[in-house]
Amino acid sequence: MITTRNLESVSDALATGGVLAALAYLNEGVSLRYTAVYRFAGPLLHNVFLHDKQGRKRPDYLMVVPFTQSFCQFVQRGKSFRTTDSAVDQRLDGHPLQGVVISYHSVPVLDPHSGRLWGTLSHFDMQNVPLPDPEFELLQGAARLLPPFMDES
């Protein structure tokens, strides 16, 4: 029996297990290793939630990232950013993470009170891993559901 992955299931995961449960649900439908929420904080990005498909402890280098050295800087209010292979993506020429974080698919998360850009919801990997369009659309929908749960961070 094939189970359809949908936004209702993301909503159920949020309601019953919070953001981490929703990230786990989103991650189980993709081949990318990480699914994460990052919060903008001036010149830095803080990882507030992370699901690692390998179940490992969050690496220190993913906890706080300088904004200008992140791919999150390319996500803007209403605009996502995707690359399956950063090593050959000319938009990233000269970027310090080009060829390091290879696959990166990210959408904006808006502040629940002001509607301003709060952070990002992303799938990413250090290998070339494509993200099917339906899973990216699910990620976009999930980002709209997250704001009321950001107080958990």
Side-chain angles (χ1 to χ4, degrees):
M1 180 173 135
I2 296 175
T3 303
T4 304
R5 293 174 46 76
N6 56 46
L7 206 49
E8 184 177 335
S9 296
V10 176
S11 182
D12 290 346
L14 279 167
T16 59
V19 176
L20 288 174
L23 294 187
Y25 175 79
L26 290 166
N27 187 264
E28 75 185 22
V30 302
S31 297
L32 290 101
R33 179 173 174 182
Y34 298 105
T35 302
V37 174
Y38 277 87
R39 177 178 52 87
F40 294 118
L44 300 174
L45 291 164
H46 293 270
N47 175 244
V48 290
F49 297 103
L50 179 79
H51 178 84
D52 179 352
K53 190 176 291 299
Q54 295 180 2
R56 295 189 180 161
K57 181 181 176 233
R58 176 176 44 196
D60 288 343
Y61 69 89
L62 293 179
M63 293 177 101
V64 178
V65 180
F67 179 77
T68 58
Q69 294 181 17
S70 73
F71 288 164
C72 290
Q73 68 179 298
F74 301 114
V75 175
Q76 299 171 12
R77 187 173 189 263
K79 186 177 176 190
S80 56
F81 185 79
R82 298 178 76 177
T83 185
T84 298
D85 190 347
S86 72
V88 297
D89 190 329
Q90 293 179 347
R91 298 173 298 170
L92 299 170
D93 283 351
H95 191 282
L97 291 180
Q98 185 177 28
V100 177
V101 175
I102 304 295
S103 295
Y104 177 84
H105 306 271
S106 189
V107 298
V109 175
L110 303 181
D111 181 278
H113 308 290
S114 69
R116 291 188 182 129
L117 187 61
W118 181 91
T120 61
L121 171 62
S122 311
H123 289 305
F124 63 96
D125 205 301
M126 307 318 170
Q127 298 180 34
N128 182 327
V129 183
L131 180 68
D133 288 340
E135 288 296 332
F136 186 72
E137 291 166 12
L138 187 61
L139 191 71
Q140 289 175 308
R144 291 188 295 271
L145 296 176
L146 285 179
F149 296 88
M150 290 300 94
D151 290 337
E152 293 178 22
S153 63

